mmCIF file of all heavy atoms in Angstrom:
data_model
loop_
_atom_site.group_PDB
_atom_site.id
_atom_site.type_symbol
_atom_site.label_atom_id
_atom_site.label_comp_id
_atom_site.label_asym_id
_atom_site.label_seq_id
_atom_site.Cartn_x
_atom_site.Cartn_y
_atom_site.Cartn_z
ATOM 1 N N GLN A 302 4.884 -17.008 14.937
ATOM 2 C CA GLN A 302 4.387 -15.633 14.925
ATOM 3 C C GLN A 302 5.494 -14.660 14.561
ATOM 4 O O GLN A 302 6.671 -14.899 14.842
ATOM 5 C CB GLN A 302 3.869 -15.257 16.316
ATOM 6 C CG GLN A 302 2.757 -16.139 16.826
ATOM 7 C CD GLN A 302 2.430 -15.804 18.270
ATOM 8 O OE1 GLN A 302 2.330 -14.628 18.629
ATOM 9 N NE2 GLN A 302 2.262 -16.812 19.093
ATOM 10 N N ALA A 303 5.094 -13.558 13.972
ATOM 11 C CA ALA A 303 6.005 -12.429 13.822
ATOM 12 C C ALA A 303 6.162 -11.750 15.179
ATOM 13 O O ALA A 303 5.192 -11.567 15.903
ATOM 14 C CB ALA A 303 5.472 -11.450 12.792
ATOM 15 N N LEU A 304 7.381 -11.400 15.526
ATOM 16 C CA LEU A 304 7.681 -10.798 16.817
ATOM 17 C C LEU A 304 8.425 -9.494 16.605
ATOM 18 O O LEU A 304 9.344 -9.425 15.784
ATOM 19 C CB LEU A 304 8.543 -11.747 17.659
ATOM 20 C CG LEU A 304 7.971 -13.136 17.941
ATOM 21 C CD1 LEU A 304 9.018 -14.010 18.611
ATOM 22 C CD2 LEU A 304 6.723 -13.041 18.806
ATOM 23 N N LEU A 305 8.035 -8.464 17.356
ATOM 24 C CA LEU A 305 8.758 -7.203 17.296
ATOM 25 C C LEU A 305 9.703 -7.149 18.493
ATOM 26 O O LEU A 305 9.271 -7.216 19.649
ATOM 27 C CB LEU A 305 7.799 -6.014 17.328
ATOM 28 C CG LEU A 305 8.459 -4.658 17.083
ATOM 29 C CD1 LEU A 305 9.150 -4.627 15.718
ATOM 30 C CD2 LEU A 305 7.449 -3.531 17.165
ATOM 31 N N LEU A 306 10.978 -7.012 18.196
ATOM 32 C CA LEU A 306 12.025 -7.109 19.195
ATOM 33 C C LEU A 306 12.780 -5.794 19.266
ATOM 34 O O LEU A 306 13.220 -5.264 18.242
ATOM 35 C CB LEU A 306 12.980 -8.248 18.813
ATOM 36 C CG LEU A 306 14.144 -8.547 19.742
ATOM 37 C CD1 LEU A 306 13.628 -9.183 21.031
ATOM 38 C CD2 LEU A 306 15.132 -9.476 19.054
ATOM 39 N N ALA A 307 12.935 -5.256 20.465
ATOM 40 C CA ALA A 307 13.690 -4.020 20.665
ATOM 41 C C ALA A 307 14.992 -4.337 21.376
ATOM 42 O O ALA A 307 14.988 -5.015 22.417
ATOM 43 C CB ALA A 307 12.880 -3.021 21.482
ATOM 44 N N ALA A 308 16.095 -3.867 20.811
ATOM 45 C CA ALA A 308 17.363 -3.880 21.528
ATOM 46 C C ALA A 308 17.357 -2.690 22.481
ATOM 47 O O ALA A 308 17.047 -1.567 22.070
ATOM 48 C CB ALA A 308 18.529 -3.780 20.544
ATOM 49 N N VAL A 309 17.659 -2.925 23.762
ATOM 50 C CA VAL A 309 17.518 -1.882 24.774
ATOM 51 C C VAL A 309 18.789 -1.755 25.610
ATOM 52 O O VAL A 309 19.602 -2.679 25.681
ATOM 53 C CB VAL A 309 16.307 -2.158 25.701
ATOM 54 C CG1 VAL A 309 15.000 -2.097 24.930
ATOM 55 C CG2 VAL A 309 16.452 -3.511 26.411
ATOM 56 N N VAL A 310 18.915 -0.598 26.236
ATOM 57 C CA VAL A 310 19.995 -0.343 27.186
ATOM 58 C C VAL A 310 19.365 0.226 28.453
ATOM 59 O O VAL A 310 18.282 0.826 28.412
ATOM 60 C CB VAL A 310 21.033 0.647 26.615
ATOM 61 C CG1 VAL A 310 21.769 0.039 25.428
ATOM 62 C CG2 VAL A 310 20.375 1.972 26.222
ATOM 63 N N PRO A 311 20.043 0.045 29.607
ATOM 64 C CA PRO A 311 19.515 0.623 30.846
ATOM 65 C C PRO A 311 19.531 2.147 30.789
ATOM 66 O O PRO A 311 20.453 2.763 30.259
ATOM 67 C CB PRO A 311 20.479 0.094 31.923
ATOM 68 C CG PRO A 311 21.198 -1.050 31.297
ATOM 69 C CD PRO A 311 21.259 -0.749 29.833
ATOM 70 N N ASP A 312 18.468 2.753 31.340
ATOM 71 C CA ASP A 312 18.360 4.210 31.432
ATOM 72 C C ASP A 312 17.645 4.511 32.743
ATOM 73 O O ASP A 312 16.423 4.651 32.789
ATOM 74 C CB ASP A 312 17.601 4.774 30.234
ATOM 75 C CG ASP A 312 17.603 6.298 30.190
ATOM 76 O OD1 ASP A 312 18.074 6.914 31.162
ATOM 77 O OD2 ASP A 312 17.127 6.868 29.194
ATOM 78 N N GLY A 313 18.411 4.571 33.832
ATOM 79 C CA GLY A 313 17.802 4.701 35.146
ATOM 80 C C GLY A 313 16.976 3.467 35.464
ATOM 81 O O GLY A 313 17.461 2.338 35.377
ATOM 82 N N ASN A 314 15.700 3.689 35.782
ATOM 83 C CA ASN A 314 14.796 2.575 36.080
ATOM 84 C C ASN A 314 14.070 2.069 34.848
ATOM 85 O O ASN A 314 13.108 1.307 34.967
ATOM 86 C CB ASN A 314 13.763 3.005 37.133
ATOM 87 C CG ASN A 314 14.397 3.270 38.478
ATOM 88 O OD1 ASN A 314 15.345 2.590 38.873
ATOM 89 N ND2 ASN A 314 13.890 4.273 39.190
ATOM 90 N N TYR A 315 14.528 2.486 33.669
ATOM 91 C CA TYR A 315 13.849 2.143 32.422
ATOM 92 C C TYR A 315 14.781 1.356 31.507
ATOM 93 O O TYR A 315 16.011 1.401 31.631
ATOM 94 C CB TYR A 315 13.391 3.414 31.700
ATOM 95 C CG TYR A 315 12.254 4.132 32.377
ATOM 96 C CD1 TYR A 315 12.493 5.001 33.441
ATOM 97 C CD2 TYR A 315 10.938 3.945 31.966
ATOM 98 C CE1 TYR A 315 11.454 5.653 34.076
ATOM 99 C CE2 TYR A 315 9.886 4.595 32.589
ATOM 100 C CZ TYR A 315 10.145 5.454 33.643
ATOM 101 O OH TYR A 315 9.104 6.094 34.266
ATOM 102 N N TRP A 316 14.144 0.655 30.567
ATOM 103 C CA TRP A 316 14.849 0.121 29.405
ATOM 104 C C TRP A 316 14.559 1.043 28.232
ATOM 105 O O TRP A 316 13.406 1.333 27.946
ATOM 106 C CB TRP A 316 14.351 -1.297 29.065
ATOM 107 C CG TRP A 316 14.689 -2.363 30.069
ATOM 108 C CD1 TRP A 316 13.814 -3.077 30.826
ATOM 109 C CD2 TRP A 316 15.992 -2.854 30.388
ATOM 110 N NE1 TRP A 316 14.487 -3.972 31.617
ATOM 111 C CE2 TRP A 316 15.840 -3.863 31.365
ATOM 112 C CE3 TRP A 316 17.289 -2.531 29.948
ATOM 113 C CZ2 TRP A 316 16.914 -4.559 31.910
ATOM 114 C CZ3 TRP A 316 18.362 -3.219 30.491
ATOM 115 C CH2 TRP A 316 18.175 -4.216 31.452
ATOM 116 N N ARG A 317 15.600 1.506 27.562
ATOM 117 C CA ARG A 317 15.441 2.437 26.441
ATOM 118 C C ARG A 317 15.851 1.762 25.138
ATOM 119 O O ARG A 317 16.933 1.192 25.026
ATOM 120 C CB ARG A 317 16.280 3.693 26.661
ATOM 121 C CG ARG A 317 16.248 4.681 25.507
ATOM 122 C CD ARG A 317 16.906 5.994 25.880
ATOM 123 N NE ARG A 317 18.272 5.812 26.344
ATOM 124 C CZ ARG A 317 19.324 5.704 25.528
ATOM 125 N NH1 ARG A 317 19.160 5.744 24.211
ATOM 126 N NH2 ARG A 317 20.536 5.556 26.022
ATOM 127 N N GLU A 318 14.956 1.835 24.142
ATOM 128 C CA GLU A 318 15.192 1.198 22.844
ATOM 129 C C GLU A 318 16.277 1.928 22.059
ATOM 130 O O GLU A 318 16.269 3.153 21.957
ATOM 131 C CB GLU A 318 13.887 1.188 22.038
ATOM 132 C CG GLU A 318 14.016 0.593 20.644
ATOM 133 C CD GLU A 318 12.726 0.620 19.864
ATOM 134 O OE1 GLU A 318 11.647 0.650 20.497
ATOM 135 O OE2 GLU A 318 12.789 0.639 18.625
ATOM 136 N N ILE A 319 17.195 1.144 21.469
ATOM 137 C CA ILE A 319 18.212 1.710 20.588
ATOM 138 C C ILE A 319 18.081 1.174 19.165
ATOM 139 O O ILE A 319 18.674 1.725 18.236
ATOM 140 C CB ILE A 319 19.630 1.445 21.117
ATOM 141 C CG1 ILE A 319 19.871 -0.062 21.312
ATOM 142 C CG2 ILE A 319 19.867 2.210 22.421
ATOM 143 C CD1 ILE A 319 21.302 -0.407 21.664
ATOM 144 N N ASP A 320 17.315 0.111 18.976
ATOM 145 C CA ASP A 320 17.124 -0.459 17.643
ATOM 146 C C ASP A 320 15.937 -1.403 17.716
ATOM 147 O O ASP A 320 15.575 -1.876 18.798
ATOM 148 C CB ASP A 320 18.382 -1.217 17.205
ATOM 149 C CG ASP A 320 18.457 -1.403 15.690
ATOM 150 O OD1 ASP A 320 17.560 -0.895 14.991
ATOM 151 O OD2 ASP A 320 19.415 -2.042 15.218
ATOM 152 N N ARG A 321 15.320 -1.684 16.559
ATOM 153 C CA ARG A 321 14.219 -2.654 16.570
ATOM 154 C C ARG A 321 14.290 -3.574 15.374
ATOM 155 O O ARG A 321 14.764 -3.203 14.298
ATOM 156 C CB ARG A 321 12.854 -1.976 16.687
ATOM 157 C CG ARG A 321 12.386 -1.126 15.549
ATOM 158 C CD ARG A 321 10.908 -0.718 15.724
ATOM 159 N NE ARG A 321 10.597 -0.113 16.997
ATOM 160 C CZ ARG A 321 9.365 0.205 17.410
ATOM 161 N NH1 ARG A 321 8.326 -0.027 16.604
ATOM 162 N NH2 ARG A 321 9.157 0.745 18.587
#
Side-chain angles (χ1 to χ4, degrees):
Q302 301 173 45
L304 302 172
L305 188 59
L306 181 71
V309 295
V310 294
D312 187 353
N314 293 324
Y315 290 82
W316 292 115
R317 176 171 56 83
E318 178 181 335
I319 57 173
D320 200 3
R321 67 170 52 186

